[in-house]
């Protein structure tokens, strides 16, 4: 089964064998907001946490190409096709920067890909939901890229240098993606009654899974406390989720669409929206590999990897040839 294993103790305490003076120096640098770089000393658990998070982030970008890639040939105009094609290519690029950032921690890309394909590594739950209509492409750009930006902007200041720097470009591109999604939603919400209905239906289906993207509630998030101490995460899951709701609800109102949450209510005292209970059993089922299209996604990923073998072989042969030619010339 394409399950994603749940680790019981993902951020084990720093091993007793690690010299205390190195740990102290590392923690002082993190506390001073210095970037940790690949050749710097770091606790093994910090390295493990980063490889876990960055590789899962990379997998999410690559698997995330599938639901939208599915619509390139069906986009309603040449302009829409070109824009969507560019967006899907951007997501592929994000995956590559992220794999490269994770590789600087000493884990081979093949190892990470193998973990994805065998169900040992996770990727974002959101990509296990199907894209049923063109309005879903608008909803993904608006909500999914919107949630991704909310999470990734603070990651530009994450404590590991290569991850933080990769995020700078990713965030610029995601911001463009969010706008293209919102523009699709504006066209549909202001179109025919049938188009508006499609836009509302897409919002109904993507709203709750988008809120789940931020991860479990803080009191059920085993990694948050340590990741916040190490400044890998800059905000907690619940803080980012609340920020997303506060920013996105007025956008839905502007579209004339209704957020599918009868408990949604603006609280004048706190200045935040209150929202209904998230179905966490659905979230954990999807994390465990039981999402509506989880098996299809993994099948398509493995197929793409297998069918791309000749491209990787050709690129490696070309690089070896170039290297040989350079050596002969020296
Ligand atoms: N899906 O203790 P926490 C995108 C797992 S990019 C699946 O809170 P943590 C771009 C979590 O891994 C979207 N699993 O964990 C795009 C952990 O299991 P583990 C991806 C999830 O790491 C747009 C366990 O639950 N973005 O969309 C999820 O502190 C459009 C306990 O959770 C990133 O990856 C989930 N939603 O916080 C592409 C951002 N949530 O690993 C195409 C970077 C939690 O211990 C089209 N990552 N889990 O076995 C992060 O910020 C964090 O890793 C969190 C989770 C916030 C996702």
């Amino acid at each position: 089964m394409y399950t994603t294993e749940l680790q019981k103790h993902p951020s084990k305490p720093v091993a007793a064998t690690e010299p205390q003076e190195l740990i102290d120096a590392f923690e002082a640098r993190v506390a001073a907001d210095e970037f940790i770089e690949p050749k710097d000393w770091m606790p093994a658990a910090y390295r493990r946490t980063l490889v876990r998070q960055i590789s899962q982030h990379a997998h999410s970008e690559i698997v995330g190409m599938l639901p939208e890639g599915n619509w390139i040939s069906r986009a309603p105009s040449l302009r829409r096709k070109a824009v969507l094609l560019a967006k899907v290519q951007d997501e592929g690029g994000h995956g590559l920067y992220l794999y490269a950032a994770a590789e600087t921690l000493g884990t081979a890309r093949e190892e990470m890909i193998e973990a994805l394909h065998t169900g040992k590594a996770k990727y974002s739950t959101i990509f296990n939901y199907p894209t049923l209509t063109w309005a879903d492409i608008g909803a993904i750009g608006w909500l999914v890229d919107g949630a991704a930006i909310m999470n990734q902007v603070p990651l530009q200041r994450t404590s590991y240098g290569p991850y933080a720097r990769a995020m700078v470009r990713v965030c610029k591109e995601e911001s463009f993606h969010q706008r293209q999604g919102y523009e699709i939603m504006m066209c549909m919400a202001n179109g025919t009654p049938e188009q508006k209905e499609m836009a509302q239906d897409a919002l109904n289906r993507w709203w709750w899974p988008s809120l789940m993207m931020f991860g479990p509630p803080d009191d059920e998030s085993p990694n948050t406390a340590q990741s916040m101490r190490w400044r890998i995460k800059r905000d907690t899951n619940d803080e980012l989720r609340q920020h997303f709701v506060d920013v996105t609800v007025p956008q839905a109102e502007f579209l004339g669409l209704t957020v599918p949450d009868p408990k949604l209510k603006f609280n004048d005292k706190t200045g935040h929206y209150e929202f209904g209970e998230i179905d966490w059993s659905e979230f954990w089922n999807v994390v465990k590999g039981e999402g509506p299209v989880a098996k299809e996604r993994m099948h398509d990923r493995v197929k793409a990897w297998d069918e791309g073998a000749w491209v990787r072989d050709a690129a490696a042969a070309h690089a070896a040839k170039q290297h040989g030619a350079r050596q002969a010339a020296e």
Side-chain angles (χ1 to χ4, degrees):
M1 190 170 71
Y2 298 115
T3 183
T4 45
E5 290 172 358
L6 294 177
Q7 284 175 251
K8 291 284 175 280
H9 304 290
S11 302
K12 286 181 199 152
V14 173
T17 51
E18 293 181 322
Q20 195 55 47
E21 65 274 18
L22 288 181
I23 295 169
D24 292 345
F26 168 84
E27 290 191 344
R29 289 187 63 198
V30 168
D33 275 339
E34 276 181 45
F35 283 131
I36 304 299
E37 297 297 340
K39 289 187 176 154
D40 295 341
W41 187 88
M42 62 187 83
Y46 176 81
R47 186 184 298 276
R48 251 197 326 271
T49 299
L50 280 170
V51 171
R52 176 184 66 77
Q53 177 167 325
I54 302 173
S55 65
Q56 291 182 5
H57 194 165
H59 300 328
S60 303
E61 300 280 358
I62 300 287
V63 178
M65 295 167 76
L66 294 168
E68 290 177 298
N70 203 21
W71 274 90
I72 293 170
S73 61
R74 288 180 285 162
S77 68
L78 184 59
R79 173 177 167 258
R80 293 290 185 201
K81 283 189 212 308
V83 171
L84 185 59
L85 186 61
K87 179 186 190 293
V88 173
Q89 279 179 330
D90 284 353
E91 308 298 2
H94 299 173
L96 297 182
Y97 315 144
L98 286 161
Y99 284 126
E103 280 178 311
T104 64
L105 291 153
T107 302
R109 188 173 305 203
E110 286 70 21
E111 204 180 310
M112 294 184 258
I113 304 277
E114 167 78 9
L116 173 68
H117 290 178
T118 54
K120 287 196 192 99
K122 297 182 172 65
Y123 60 89
S124 185
T125 43
I126 194 77
F127 302 117
N128 292 307
Y129 292 87
T131 38
L132 303 179
T133 73
W134 172 249
D136 288 16
I137 301 306
I140 290 182
W142 171 35
L143 300 173
V144 176
D145 285 278
I149 296 170
M150 204 57 84
N151 168 282
Q152 288 167 177
V153 164
L155 289 176
Q156 293 176 107
R157 292 181 300 110
T158 190
S159 56
Y160 188 57
Y163 192 21
R165 289 189 287 275
M167 282 300 111
V168 174
R169 179 164 172 178
V170 169
C171 284
K172 287 192 178 135
E173 293 178 349
E174 297 290 26
S175 152
F176 163 75
H177 298 167
Q178 195 271 352
R179 282 158 209 223
Q180 69 82 37
Y182 195 67
E183 197 249 344
I184 294 176
M185 293 304 276
M186 280 207 288
C187 288
M188 301 207 62
N190 294 307
T192 62
E194 291 80 5
Q195 286 170 327
K196 184 165 184 184
E197 204 177 302
M198 278 167 74
Q200 181 64 56
D201 173 59
L203 172 58
N204 293 348
R205 284 181 290 106
W206 290 92
W207 176 255
W208 292 104
S210 298
L211 297 194
M212 293 175 196
M213 278 177 77
F214 295 95
D218 293 349
D219 54 7
E220 287 167 35
S221 161
N223 299 297
T224 292
Q226 182 60 274
S227 287
M228 295 284 285
R229 270 196 296 279
W230 278 329
R231 302 201 178 176
I232 292 174
K233 284 167 88 163
R234 290 291 188 157
D235 303 273
T236 72
N237 300 354
D238 285 334
E239 284 166 356
L240 291 172
R241 191 170 9 251
Q242 181 67 56
H243 192 194
F244 175 77
V245 172
D246 290 344
V247 166
T248 311
V249 172
Q251 294 173 353
E253 283 167 2
F254 184 78
L255 291 172
L257 301 179
T258 308
V259 172
D261 178 356
K263 293 198 174 144
L264 189 71
K265 182 166 104 226
F266 189 70
N267 183 326
D268 288 324
K269 290 204 184 78
T270 62
H272 295 293
Y273 282 92
E274 290 166 8
F275 52 96
E277 180 63 18
I278 293 170
D279 182 350
W280 291 112
S281 64
E282 173 180 325
F283 170 77
W284 288 116
N285 281 337
V286 180
V287 171
K288 279 188 271 175
E290 286 156 28
V293 291
K295 289 172 184 61
E296 188 182 320
R297 294 280 182 258
M298 207 41 59
H299 169 270
D300 291 350
R301 249 340 295 156
V302 172
K303 184 163 172 273
W305 176 257
D306 290 346
E307 288 177 357
W310 70 271
V311 180
R312 293 190 296 279
D313 291 347
H318 179 69
K321 212 162 147 187
Q322 299 280 81
H323 182 68
R326 263 198 310 275
Q327 277 193 327
E330 277 168 14

